[in-house]
Amino acid sequence: MLTPAQVQPHRPDFEVIGVFNAGTAWYQGEIILLLRVAERPVGWEGGDTRIPIFDTETNKLQIKVIDRTDGTYEFSDTRAIRLKSDSPGTFRYLTSFSYLRIARSRDGRHFTVDPNPFLFPNTPFETFGIEDPRVTQIGDTYYITYSAVSPAGVGVGLAITKDFVNVQRQGLILPPENKDVVILPEKIQGKYYILHRPIGKSIGLPEVWIAESDNLFSWGNHRLLFGLREGKWDDGRIGAGAVPIKTKEGWLELYHGASKRNRYCMGAILLDLEEPWKVLARSEHPILEPEAPYEVDGFFGNVVFSCGVIVQDDEVTMYYGVADTSMACATASLKDILSCLS
Ligand code: MAN
Protein backbone atom coordinates (compact mmCIF):
# COMPACT_ATOMS: atom_id res chain seq x y z
CA MET A 1 0.00 0.00 0.00
CA LEU A 2 2.80 2.44 0.83
CA THR A 3 6.49 2.08 0.12
CA PRO A 4 9.49 4.26 1.09
CA ALA A 5 9.64 5.59 -2.50
CA GLN A 6 6.23 7.25 -1.96
CA VAL A 7 7.36 9.25 1.07
CA GLN A 8 9.56 12.33 0.94
CA PRO A 9 12.29 12.51 3.61
CA HIS A 10 11.84 15.22 6.24
CA ARG A 11 14.95 16.96 4.88
CA PRO A 12 16.76 16.70 1.54
CA ASP A 13 20.02 15.18 2.81
CA PHE A 14 18.11 12.19 4.24
CA GLU A 15 16.47 9.18 2.57
CA VAL A 16 13.40 7.24 3.65
CA ILE A 17 14.23 3.56 4.07
CA GLY A 18 11.08 2.44 5.85
CA VAL A 19 7.42 3.33 6.16
CA PHE A 20 5.86 0.66 8.33
CA ASN A 21 4.22 -0.46 11.63
CA ALA A 22 1.47 2.18 11.51
CA GLY A 23 -1.16 2.80 14.16
CA THR A 24 -4.70 3.39 12.89
CA ALA A 25 -7.65 5.65 13.68
CA TRP A 26 -10.95 6.92 12.28
CA TYR A 27 -11.09 10.70 12.24
CA GLN A 28 -13.85 12.76 10.61
CA GLY A 29 -14.68 10.13 7.97
CA GLU A 30 -11.05 9.46 7.13
CA ILE A 31 -8.84 6.52 7.94
CA ILE A 32 -5.60 7.72 9.50
CA LEU A 33 -2.41 5.73 9.40
CA LEU A 34 0.10 6.97 11.93
CA LEU A 35 3.18 5.77 10.10
CA ARG A 36 6.56 4.96 11.50
CA VAL A 37 8.95 6.56 9.01
CA ALA A 38 12.59 5.45 9.20
CA GLU A 39 15.26 7.61 7.61
CA ARG A 40 19.01 7.81 7.39
CA PRO A 41 21.44 10.34 5.93
CA VAL A 42 22.18 9.90 2.21
CA GLY A 43 25.67 8.61 1.49
CA TRP A 44 25.25 5.71 3.92
CA GLU A 45 26.22 3.27 1.16
CA GLY A 46 29.86 4.38 1.35
CA GLY A 47 32.39 2.94 3.80
CA ASP A 48 30.92 4.77 6.78
CA THR A 49 27.79 4.12 8.78
CA ARG A 50 26.09 7.44 9.46
CA ILE A 51 23.83 7.38 12.49
CA PRO A 52 21.36 10.21 13.18
CA ILE A 53 20.97 11.01 16.88
CA PHE A 54 18.73 13.79 18.19
CA ASP A 55 20.73 16.24 20.31
CA THR A 56 18.50 17.81 22.98
CA GLU A 57 21.02 20.64 23.66
CA THR A 58 21.01 22.03 20.12
CA ASN A 59 17.56 20.63 19.23
CA LYS A 60 19.06 19.21 16.06
CA LEU A 61 19.93 15.85 14.58
CA GLN A 62 23.65 15.13 14.85
CA ILE A 63 25.29 12.52 12.66
CA LYS A 64 27.62 10.04 14.29
CA VAL A 65 29.97 8.42 11.81
CA ILE A 66 31.29 4.91 12.37
CA ASP A 67 33.90 3.42 10.06
CA ARG A 68 32.57 0.03 9.01
CA THR A 69 36.08 -1.43 8.93
CA ASP A 70 36.47 -0.54 12.64
CA GLY A 71 36.77 -4.00 14.21
CA THR A 72 35.24 -2.99 17.56
CA TYR A 73 31.71 -2.87 16.13
CA GLU A 74 29.43 -5.57 14.76
CA PHE A 75 26.94 -4.90 11.95
CA SER A 76 25.26 -8.29 11.44
CA ASP A 77 21.73 -7.03 12.37
CA THR A 78 20.54 -4.52 9.74
CA ARG A 79 18.57 -2.67 12.44
CA ALA A 80 21.23 -1.98 15.05
CA ILE A 81 24.96 -1.84 15.77
CA ARG A 82 26.64 -3.43 18.74
CA LEU A 83 30.05 -3.30 20.30
CA LYS A 84 31.64 -6.72 20.05
CA SER A 85 32.65 -6.44 23.72
CA ASP A 86 29.01 -5.93 24.83
CA SER A 87 26.95 -8.84 26.15
CA PRO A 88 24.96 -10.71 23.47
CA GLY A 89 21.66 -9.16 22.38
CA THR A 90 22.53 -5.62 23.48
CA PHE A 91 22.96 -2.75 21.02
CA ARG A 92 24.65 0.65 21.07
CA TYR A 93 23.04 2.43 18.11
CA LEU A 94 20.22 2.06 15.63
CA THR A 95 21.02 2.19 11.91
CA SER A 96 18.03 4.43 11.14
CA PHE A 97 16.03 7.13 12.86
CA SER A 98 12.25 6.82 13.15
CA TYR A 99 9.51 9.37 13.75
CA LEU A 100 5.73 9.46 13.20
CA ARG A 101 3.98 10.82 10.15
CA ILE A 102 0.29 10.80 9.15
CA ALA A 103 -1.27 9.33 6.01
CA ARG A 104 -4.98 9.94 5.30
CA SER A 105 -7.51 8.07 3.17
CA ARG A 106 -11.24 8.01 2.42
CA ASP A 107 -11.31 4.46 1.03
CA GLY A 108 -8.72 2.83 3.28
CA ARG A 109 -6.59 1.83 0.28
CA HIS A 110 -5.22 5.04 -1.28
CA PHE A 111 -3.35 7.20 1.18
CA THR A 112 -1.98 10.74 1.03
CA VAL A 113 1.03 11.25 3.25
CA ASP A 114 1.30 14.55 5.16
CA PRO A 115 4.35 16.56 4.07
CA ASN A 116 5.70 17.05 7.61
CA PRO A 117 6.39 14.82 10.60
CA PHE A 118 3.57 14.58 13.14
CA LEU A 119 5.61 13.55 16.18
CA PHE A 120 9.36 14.04 15.92
CA PRO A 121 11.83 12.97 18.64
CA ASN A 122 12.76 15.84 20.96
CA THR A 123 13.14 14.52 24.50
CA PRO A 124 16.16 12.82 26.16
CA PHE A 125 14.28 9.49 25.98
CA GLU A 126 13.73 9.75 22.21
CA THR A 127 17.22 10.61 20.94
CA PHE A 128 17.39 7.41 18.85
CA GLY A 129 13.82 7.74 17.59
CA ILE A 130 10.11 7.08 18.04
CA GLU A 131 8.66 3.77 16.84
CA ASP A 132 5.59 1.56 16.49
CA PRO A 133 2.62 3.75 17.55
CA ARG A 134 -0.78 2.45 18.64
CA VAL A 135 -3.79 4.76 18.75
CA THR A 136 -6.75 4.35 21.11
CA GLN A 137 -9.78 6.62 20.81
CA ILE A 138 -11.57 7.41 24.07
CA GLY A 139 -14.34 9.98 23.55
CA ASP A 140 -12.94 12.69 21.28
CA THR A 141 -9.34 12.12 22.39
CA TYR A 142 -6.81 9.87 20.68
CA TYR A 143 -4.15 8.35 22.96
CA ILE A 144 -0.95 7.41 21.17
CA THR A 145 1.51 5.01 22.78
CA TYR A 146 4.92 4.57 21.16
CA SER A 147 8.41 3.19 21.74
CA ALA A 148 10.77 5.95 22.83
CA VAL A 149 14.32 4.85 22.07
CA SER A 150 17.49 6.34 23.58
CA PRO A 151 20.78 5.10 25.09
CA ALA A 152 18.74 4.65 28.31
CA GLY A 153 16.72 1.91 26.58
CA VAL A 154 13.30 1.48 24.97
CA GLY A 155 10.50 2.99 27.06
CA VAL A 156 6.85 3.74 26.36
CA GLY A 157 5.76 7.29 25.58
CA LEU A 158 2.21 8.62 25.59
CA ALA A 159 0.97 11.52 23.47
CA ILE A 160 -2.56 12.82 22.89
CA THR A 161 -4.29 14.52 20.00
CA LYS A 162 -7.85 15.56 19.22
CA ASP A 163 -7.37 16.58 15.60
CA PHE A 164 -4.25 14.86 14.19
CA VAL A 165 -2.66 18.29 13.80
CA ASN A 166 -1.81 19.32 17.36
CA VAL A 167 -0.23 16.75 19.64
CA GLN A 168 0.87 16.91 23.28
CA ARG A 169 3.40 14.61 24.90
CA GLN A 170 2.48 13.18 28.30
CA GLY A 171 5.89 11.71 29.15
CA LEU A 172 7.00 8.12 29.60
CA ILE A 173 4.28 5.92 31.09
CA LEU A 174 6.54 2.86 31.39
CA PRO A 175 10.35 2.82 31.80
CA PRO A 176 12.78 0.67 29.77
CA GLU A 177 12.69 -1.94 28.68
CA ASN A 178 9.12 -2.08 27.60
CA LYS A 179 7.25 -1.76 24.30
CA ASP A 180 4.15 -2.92 22.39
CA VAL A 181 1.66 -1.05 24.56
CA VAL A 182 -2.03 -0.88 23.66
CA ILE A 183 -4.65 0.91 25.75
CA LEU A 184 -8.09 -0.75 25.87
CA PRO A 185 -10.67 1.69 24.47
CA GLU A 186 -12.97 1.85 27.49
CA LYS A 187 -12.97 1.52 31.25
CA ILE A 188 -13.83 -1.92 32.61
CA GLN A 189 -15.44 -1.85 36.05
CA GLY A 190 -14.01 1.60 36.64
CA LYS A 191 -10.42 0.95 35.47
CA TYR A 192 -8.42 1.54 32.32
CA TYR A 193 -6.25 -1.33 31.09
CA ILE A 194 -3.10 -1.67 29.01
CA LEU A 195 -1.32 -4.63 27.53
CA HIS A 196 2.46 -4.20 27.66
CA ARG A 197 5.65 -6.15 27.06
CA PRO A 198 8.53 -5.77 29.50
CA ILE A 199 11.78 -7.65 28.84
CA GLY A 200 13.55 -9.27 31.73
CA LYS A 201 17.33 -9.05 31.45
CA SER A 202 18.40 -11.56 34.10
CA ILE A 203 15.35 -13.79 34.47
CA GLY A 204 12.16 -13.55 32.44
CA LEU A 205 10.98 -13.66 28.84
CA PRO A 206 9.50 -11.15 26.35
CA GLU A 207 5.84 -11.88 27.17
CA VAL A 208 2.61 -9.88 27.42
CA TRP A 209 1.44 -8.30 30.68
CA ILE A 210 -1.69 -6.42 31.66
CA ALA A 211 -1.88 -3.42 34.02
CA GLU A 212 -4.61 -1.09 35.26
CA SER A 213 -5.01 2.61 35.95
CA ASP A 214 -7.53 5.19 37.15
CA ASN A 215 -6.13 7.94 34.94
CA LEU A 216 -4.20 6.46 31.94
CA PHE A 217 -0.88 7.81 33.26
CA SER A 218 0.00 5.74 36.37
CA TRP A 219 -0.17 2.00 35.86
CA GLY A 220 -0.24 -0.69 38.55
CA ASN A 221 -1.47 -4.17 39.47
CA HIS A 222 0.76 -5.71 36.76
CA ARG A 223 -0.02 -9.28 35.84
CA LEU A 224 1.50 -11.71 33.37
CA LEU A 225 -1.22 -12.25 30.74
CA PHE A 226 0.11 -14.68 28.14
CA GLY A 227 3.44 -16.22 27.32
CA LEU A 228 5.65 -17.82 24.71
CA ARG A 229 4.76 -21.29 23.46
CA GLU A 230 7.79 -23.54 23.19
CA GLY A 231 8.19 -25.18 19.79
CA LYS A 232 5.47 -23.04 18.17
CA TRP A 233 5.59 -20.01 15.84
CA ASP A 234 5.46 -17.65 18.85
CA ASP A 235 8.25 -19.15 20.99
CA GLY A 236 10.75 -16.28 20.60
CA ARG A 237 8.97 -13.06 21.56
CA ILE A 238 5.40 -11.81 21.61
CA GLY A 239 3.77 -8.40 21.95
CA ALA A 240 0.37 -6.76 21.62
CA GLY A 241 -0.41 -5.51 18.12
CA ALA A 242 -3.70 -3.75 17.45
CA VAL A 243 -5.89 -2.07 20.05
CA PRO A 244 -8.19 -4.84 21.36
CA ILE A 245 -11.49 -5.20 19.49
CA LYS A 246 -14.65 -5.51 21.59
CA THR A 247 -16.76 -8.50 20.50
CA LYS A 248 -19.65 -10.34 22.15
CA GLU A 249 -17.27 -13.20 22.97
CA GLY A 250 -14.58 -11.02 24.56
CA TRP A 251 -11.74 -8.61 23.77
CA LEU A 252 -10.04 -9.83 20.62
CA GLU A 253 -6.36 -8.94 20.56
CA LEU A 254 -4.31 -9.39 17.39
CA TYR A 255 -0.73 -9.84 18.57
CA HIS A 256 2.63 -10.49 16.96
CA GLY A 257 4.67 -13.53 17.72
CA ALA A 258 8.19 -14.21 16.53
CA SER A 259 9.94 -17.54 16.43
CA LYS A 260 13.39 -17.94 17.94
CA ARG A 261 14.70 -17.31 14.41
CA ASN A 262 12.95 -13.91 14.25
CA ARG A 263 10.12 -14.80 11.87
CA TYR A 264 7.28 -12.45 12.85
CA CYS A 265 3.66 -13.60 12.40
CA MET A 266 0.30 -12.31 13.63
CA GLY A 267 -1.93 -14.35 15.92
CA ALA A 268 -5.09 -13.75 17.94
CA ILE A 269 -6.10 -14.11 21.56
CA LEU A 270 -9.43 -13.59 23.31
CA LEU A 271 -9.67 -11.92 26.73
CA ASP A 272 -12.65 -11.92 29.07
CA LEU A 273 -14.87 -8.83 28.59
CA GLU A 274 -15.25 -8.07 32.30
CA GLU A 275 -12.00 -9.58 33.58
CA PRO A 276 -9.49 -8.91 30.80
CA TRP A 277 -6.66 -10.50 32.78
CA LYS A 278 -8.28 -13.85 31.93
CA VAL A 279 -7.40 -15.52 28.61
CA LEU A 280 -10.34 -17.37 27.05
CA ALA A 281 -8.80 -18.71 23.82
CA ARG A 282 -5.81 -18.33 21.52
CA SER A 283 -5.01 -19.12 17.90
CA GLU A 284 -3.03 -22.31 17.53
CA HIS A 285 -1.61 -21.16 14.19
CA PRO A 286 -0.80 -17.66 12.88
CA ILE A 287 -3.66 -15.74 11.27
CA LEU A 288 -1.10 -14.06 9.02
CA GLU A 289 2.46 -15.07 8.25
CA PRO A 290 5.17 -13.70 5.95
CA GLU A 291 4.66 -15.38 2.56
CA ALA A 292 4.42 -12.72 -0.16
CA PRO A 293 7.80 -11.57 -1.57
CA TYR A 294 7.37 -8.11 0.02
CA GLU A 295 6.84 -9.76 3.42
CA VAL A 296 9.79 -12.14 3.05
CA ASP A 297 12.40 -9.75 1.64
CA GLY A 298 13.24 -6.26 2.81
CA PHE A 299 15.25 -4.29 5.34
CA PHE A 300 14.53 -6.97 7.95
CA GLY A 301 12.81 -9.85 6.16
CA ASN A 302 10.17 -12.37 7.26
CA VAL A 303 8.16 -9.83 9.24
CA VAL A 304 4.45 -9.02 9.32
CA PHE A 305 3.84 -6.62 12.21
CA SER A 306 0.52 -4.88 12.85
CA CYS A 307 -0.05 -1.93 15.16
CA GLY A 308 -3.64 -1.24 14.12
CA VAL A 309 -6.84 -2.41 12.48
CA ILE A 310 -10.03 -0.80 11.25
CA VAL A 311 -13.24 -2.72 11.98
CA GLN A 312 -16.43 -2.23 9.97
CA ASP A 313 -19.27 -4.58 10.92
CA ASP A 314 -17.81 -8.07 10.53
CA GLU A 315 -14.79 -7.00 8.47
CA VAL A 316 -11.41 -6.42 10.04
CA THR A 317 -8.89 -4.55 7.90
CA MET A 318 -5.48 -5.16 9.36
CA TYR A 319 -2.80 -2.66 8.38
CA TYR A 320 0.68 -4.01 8.91
CA GLY A 321 4.34 -3.36 8.33
CA VAL A 322 6.17 -5.78 6.05
CA ALA A 323 9.86 -6.62 6.40
CA ASP A 324 10.39 -3.34 8.34
CA THR A 325 10.11 -1.63 4.93
CA SER A 326 6.56 -0.94 3.69
CA MET A 327 2.89 -0.97 4.64
CA ALA A 328 0.42 -3.63 3.53
CA CYS A 329 -3.14 -4.51 4.50
CA ALA A 330 -5.22 -7.66 4.73
CA THR A 331 -8.88 -8.26 5.49
CA ALA A 332 -10.61 -11.00 7.41
CA SER A 333 -14.03 -11.65 8.83
CA LEU A 334 -14.26 -11.18 12.59
CA LYS A 335 -16.26 -14.41 12.76
CA ASP A 336 -13.52 -16.34 10.97
CA ILE A 337 -10.84 -15.05 13.30
CA LEU A 338 -12.93 -15.90 16.37
CA SER A 339 -13.68 -19.37 15.01
CA CYS A 340 -9.99 -20.29 14.74
CA LEU A 341 -9.36 -19.73 18.45
CA SER A 342 -9.33 -22.64 20.86
C1 MAN B 1 10.95 -5.18 16.88
C2 MAN B 1 9.69 -4.36 16.82
C3 MAN B 1 9.41 -3.74 15.49
C4 MAN B 1 10.00 -4.48 14.32
C5 MAN B 1 10.32 -5.91 14.66
C6 MAN B 1 11.01 -6.64 13.52
O1 MAN B 1 10.92 -6.02 17.98
O2 MAN B 1 9.69 -3.38 17.82
O3 MAN B 1 9.83 -2.41 15.45
O4 MAN B 1 9.12 -4.42 13.24
O5 MAN B 1 11.15 -5.98 15.78
O6 MAN B 1 12.26 -6.06 13.25
Side-chain angles (χ1 to χ4, degrees), residues 20-21 36 79 131-132 147 179-180 197 237 256 262 264 300 303 305 324:
F20 58 115
N21 298 2
R36 168 178 172 190
R79 303 168 298 179
E131 303 179 352
D132 302 352
S147 298
K179 49 166 78 166
D180 301 324
R197 208 287 301 279
R237 51 184 58 232
H256 66 262
N262 271 340
Y264 281 74
F300 191 79
V303 175
F305 192 99
D324 287 1

mmCIF file of all heavy atoms in Angstrom, residues 20-21 36 79 131-132 147 179-180 197 237 256 262 264 300 303 305 324, ligand 1:
data_model
loop_
_atom_site.group_PDB
_atom_site.id
_atom_site.type_symbol
_atom_site.label_atom_id
_atom_site.label_comp_id
_atom_site.label_asym_id
_atom_site.label_seq_id
_atom_site.Cartn_x
_atom_site.Cartn_y
_atom_site.Cartn_z
ATOM 1 N N PHE A 20 6.394 1.948 7.871
ATOM 2 C CA PHE A 20 5.864 0.661 8.329
ATOM 3 C C PHE A 20 5.266 0.777 9.736
ATOM 4 O O PHE A 20 5.269 1.862 10.326
ATOM 5 C CB PHE A 20 6.964 -0.417 8.264
ATOM 6 C CG PHE A 20 8.224 -0.154 9.064
ATOM 7 C CD1 PHE A 20 8.571 -0.958 10.138
ATOM 8 C CD2 PHE A 20 9.073 0.887 8.732
ATOM 9 C CE1 PHE A 20 9.743 -0.744 10.873
ATOM 10 C CE2 PHE A 20 10.244 1.119 9.459
ATOM 11 C CZ PHE A 20 10.571 0.309 10.524
ATOM 12 N N ASN A 21 4.731 -0.337 10.245
ATOM 13 C CA ASN A 21 4.224 -0.465 11.627
ATOM 14 C C ASN A 21 3.358 0.725 12.050
ATOM 15 O O ASN A 21 3.595 1.365 13.085
ATOM 16 C CB ASN A 21 5.402 -0.651 12.602
ATOM 17 C CG ASN A 21 6.191 -1.921 12.319
ATOM 18 O OD1 ASN A 21 5.891 -2.643 11.373
ATOM 19 N ND2 ASN A 21 7.202 -2.195 13.121
ATOM 20 N N ARG A 36 5.179 4.851 11.048
ATOM 21 C CA ARG A 36 6.563 4.957 11.501
ATOM 22 C C ARG A 36 7.412 5.156 10.246
ATOM 23 O O ARG A 36 7.448 4.282 9.369
ATOM 24 C CB ARG A 36 6.975 3.683 12.233
ATOM 25 C CG ARG A 36 8.467 3.609 12.466
ATOM 26 C CD ARG A 36 8.837 2.354 13.230
ATOM 27 N NE ARG A 36 10.281 2.197 13.292
ATOM 28 C CZ ARG A 36 10.890 1.112 13.725
ATOM 29 N NH1 ARG A 36 10.182 0.083 14.142
ATOM 30 N NH2 ARG A 36 12.212 1.035 13.750
ATOM 31 N N ARG A 79 19.309 -3.701 11.698
ATOM 32 C CA ARG A 79 18.570 -2.673 12.443
ATOM 33 C C ARG A 79 19.409 -1.939 13.473
ATOM 34 O O ARG A 79 19.058 -0.840 13.890
ATOM 35 C CB ARG A 79 17.382 -3.321 13.167
ATOM 36 C CG ARG A 79 16.447 -4.062 12.245
ATOM 37 C CD ARG A 79 15.469 -4.921 13.017
ATOM 38 N NE ARG A 79 16.156 -5.959 13.797
ATOM 39 C CZ ARG A 79 15.541 -6.830 14.577
ATOM 40 N NH1 ARG A 79 14.228 -6.778 14.709
ATOM 41 N NH2 ARG A 79 16.211 -7.747 15.243
ATOM 42 N N GLU A 131 9.036 4.919 17.681
ATOM 43 C CA GLU A 131 8.656 3.775 16.841
ATOM 44 C C GLU A 131 7.292 3.199 17.220
ATOM 45 O O GLU A 131 6.829 3.368 18.338
ATOM 46 C CB GLU A 131 9.703 2.649 17.015
ATOM 47 C CG GLU A 131 11.117 3.113 16.685
ATOM 48 C CD GLU A 131 12.161 2.023 16.865
ATOM 49 O OE1 GLU A 131 11.814 0.948 17.390
ATOM 50 O OE2 GLU A 131 13.318 2.259 16.480
ATOM 51 N N ASP A 132 6.697 2.490 16.288
ATOM 52 C CA ASP A 132 5.585 1.558 16.492
ATOM 53 C C ASP A 132 4.421 2.123 17.322
ATOM 54 O O ASP A 132 4.120 1.616 18.412
ATOM 55 C CB ASP A 132 6.118 0.265 17.137
ATOM 56 C CG ASP A 132 7.196 -0.394 16.292
ATOM 57 O OD1 ASP A 132 7.417 0.059 15.158
ATOM 58 O OD2 ASP A 132 7.834 -1.345 16.772
ATOM 59 N N SER A 147 7.096 3.529 21.179
ATOM 60 C CA SER A 147 8.406 3.194 21.738
ATOM 61 C C SER A 147 9.294 4.412 21.639
ATOM 62 O O SER A 147 9.469 4.972 20.555
ATOM 63 C CB SER A 147 9.057 2.043 20.955
ATOM 64 O OG SER A 147 8.269 0.885 21.036
ATOM 65 N N LYS A 179 7.790 -2.245 25.587
ATOM 66 C CA LYS A 179 7.245 -1.765 24.303
ATOM 67 C C LYS A 179 5.916 -2.466 24.021
ATOM 68 O O LYS A 179 5.386 -3.160 24.876
ATOM 69 C CB LYS A 179 8.243 -1.938 23.161
ATOM 70 C CG LYS A 179 8.897 -3.312 23.055
ATOM 71 C CD LYS A 179 9.596 -3.531 21.729
ATOM 72 C CE LYS A 179 10.940 -2.855 21.597
ATOM 73 N NZ LYS A 179 11.698 -3.362 20.432
ATOM 74 N N ASP A 180 5.386 -2.241 22.825
ATOM 75 C CA ASP A 180 4.148 -2.917 22.392
ATOM 76 C C ASP A 180 2.988 -2.666 23.358
ATOM 77 O O ASP A 180 2.343 -3.611 23.853
ATOM 78 C CB ASP A 180 4.386 -4.438 22.245
ATOM 79 C CG ASP A 180 5.486 -4.751 21.245
ATOM 80 O OD1 ASP A 180 5.585 -4.037 20.237
ATOM 81 O OD2 ASP A 180 6.264 -5.690 21.484
ATOM 82 N N ARG A 197 4.680 -5.080 27.245
ATOM 83 C CA ARG A 197 5.651 -6.154 27.057
ATOM 84 C C ARG A 197 7.028 -5.748 27.613
ATOM 85 O O ARG A 197 7.866 -5.223 26.904
ATOM 86 C CB ARG A 197 5.745 -6.477 25.568
ATOM 87 C CG ARG A 197 6.136 -7.911 25.208
ATOM 88 C CD ARG A 197 7.566 -8.244 25.449
ATOM 89 N NE ARG A 197 8.492 -7.403 24.726
ATOM 90 C CZ ARG A 197 8.837 -7.548 23.448
ATOM 91 N NH1 ARG A 197 8.353 -8.517 22.722
ATOM 92 N NH2 ARG A 197 9.697 -6.711 22.898
ATOM 93 N N ARG A 237 9.447 -14.273 20.895
ATOM 94 C CA ARG A 237 8.971 -13.062 21.564
ATOM 95 C C ARG A 237 7.550 -12.776 21.101
ATOM 96 O O ARG A 237 7.185 -13.116 19.976
ATOM 97 C CB ARG A 237 9.887 -11.867 21.272
ATOM 98 C CG ARG A 237 10.167 -11.652 19.775
ATOM 99 C CD ARG A 237 11.166 -10.523 19.546
ATOM 100 N NE ARG A 237 12.396 -10.782 20.225
ATOM 101 C CZ ARG A 237 12.993 -9.902 21.059
ATOM 102 N NH1 ARG A 237 12.457 -8.719 21.280
ATOM 103 N NH2 ARG A 237 14.126 -10.208 21.638
ATOM 104 N N HIS A 256 1.564 -9.908 17.781
ATOM 105 C CA HIS A 256 2.627 -10.487 16.963
ATOM 106 C C HIS A 256 3.399 -11.512 17.790
ATOM 107 O O HIS A 256 3.568 -11.365 18.996
ATOM 108 C CB HIS A 256 3.582 -9.414 16.402
ATOM 109 C CG HIS A 256 4.376 -8.695 17.443
ATOM 110 N ND1 HIS A 256 4.018 -7.466 17.934
ATOM 111 C CD2 HIS A 256 5.518 -9.030 18.084
ATOM 112 C CE1 HIS A 256 4.895 -7.076 18.837
ATOM 113 N NE2 HIS A 256 5.818 -8.009 18.958
ATOM 114 N N ASN A 262 13.385 -15.263 14.621
ATOM 115 C CA ASN A 262 12.948 -13.912 14.248
ATOM 116 C C ASN A 262 12.007 -13.867 13.053
ATOM 117 O O ASN A 262 12.041 -12.928 12.266
ATOM 118 C CB ASN A 262 14.146 -13.001 13.947
ATOM 119 C CG ASN A 262 14.626 -12.299 15.188
ATOM 120 O OD1 ASN A 262 13.895 -12.190 16.168
ATOM 121 N ND2 ASN A 262 15.853 -11.825 15.146
ATOM 122 N N TYR A 264 8.397 -13.112 12.164
ATOM 123 C CA TYR A 264 7.282 -12.450 12.847
ATOM 124 C C TYR A 264 5.963 -12.750 12.143
ATOM 125 O O TYR A 264 5.809 -12.448 10.958
ATOM 126 C CB TYR A 264 7.478 -10.941 12.861
ATOM 127 C CG TYR A 264 8.438 -10.442 13.911
ATOM 128 C CD1 TYR A 264 9.811 -10.618 13.775
ATOM 129 C CD2 TYR A 264 7.977 -9.779 15.044
ATOM 130 C CE1 TYR A 264 10.699 -10.153 14.727
ATOM 131 C CE2 TYR A 264 8.857 -9.299 16.006
ATOM 132 C CZ TYR A 264 10.210 -9.497 15.848
ATOM 133 O OH TYR A 264 11.079 -9.032 16.793
ATOM 134 N N PHE A 300 14.430 -5.855 6.998
ATOM 135 C CA PHE A 300 14.534 -6.975 7.949
ATOM 136 C C PHE A 300 13.422 -7.944 7.563
ATOM 137 O O PHE A 300 12.252 -7.718 7.871
ATOM 138 C CB PHE A 300 14.388 -6.464 9.391
ATOM 139 C CG PHE A 300 14.739 -7.501 10.429
ATOM 140 C CD1 PHE A 300 16.066 -7.779 10.732
ATOM 141 C CD2 PHE A 300 13.756 -8.212 11.071
ATOM 142 C CE1 PHE A 300 16.397 -8.744 11.679
ATOM 143 C CE2 PHE A 300 14.070 -9.187 12.027
ATOM 144 C CZ PHE A 300 15.396 -9.443 12.328
ATOM 145 N N VAL A 303 8.892 -10.526 8.171
ATOM 146 C CA VAL A 303 8.163 -9.829 9.236
ATOM 147 C C VAL A 303 6.811 -9.338 8.722
ATOM 148 O O VAL A 303 6.744 -8.632 7.718
ATOM 149 C CB VAL A 303 8.962 -8.607 9.761
ATOM 150 C CG1 VAL A 303 8.113 -7.824 10.776
ATOM 151 C CG2 VAL A 303 10.283 -9.020 10.391
ATOM 152 N N PHE A 305 3.873 -7.229 10.874
ATOM 153 C CA PHE A 305 3.838 -6.617 12.206
ATOM 154 C C PHE A 305 2.759 -5.549 12.205
ATOM 155 O O PHE A 305 2.898 -4.500 11.580
ATOM 156 C CB PHE A 305 5.215 -5.993 12.480
ATOM 157 C CG PHE A 305 5.450 -5.559 13.907
ATOM 158 C CD1 PHE A 305 6.169 -6.364 14.782
ATOM 159 C CD2 PHE A 305 4.985 -4.334 14.367
ATOM 160 C CE1 PHE A 305 6.406 -5.955 16.090
ATOM 161 C CE2 PHE A 305 5.226 -3.920 15.674
ATOM 162 C CZ PHE A 305 5.943 -4.734 16.531
ATOM 163 N N ASP A 324 9.902 -4.639 7.827
ATOM 164 C CA ASP A 324 10.390 -3.342 8.340
ATOM 165 C C ASP A 324 10.666 -2.369 7.197
ATOM 166 O O ASP A 324 11.580 -1.534 7.288
ATOM 167 C CB ASP A 324 11.644 -3.523 9.205
ATOM 168 C CG ASP A 324 11.315 -4.143 10.565
ATOM 169 O OD1 ASP A 324 10.146 -4.449 10.830
ATOM 170 O OD2 ASP A 324 12.262 -4.319 11.358
HETATM 171 C C1 MAN B 1 10.955 -5.181 16.879
HETATM 172 C C2 MAN B 1 9.690 -4.359 16.824
HETATM 173 C C3 MAN B 1 9.412 -3.745 15.494
HETATM 174 C C4 MAN B 1 9.996 -4.483 14.318
HETATM 175 C C5 MAN B 1 10.323 -5.910 14.656
HETATM 176 C C6 MAN B 1 11.012 -6.644 13.524
HETATM 177 O O1 MAN B 1 10.916 -6.015 17.984
HETATM 178 O O2 MAN B 1 9.692 -3.375 17.820
HETATM 179 O O3 MAN B 1 9.829 -2.406 15.448
HETATM 180 O O4 MAN B 1 9.123 -4.417 13.238
HETATM 181 O O5 MAN B 1 11.154 -5.980 15.778
HETATM 182 O O6 MAN B 1 12.263 -6.060 13.248
#
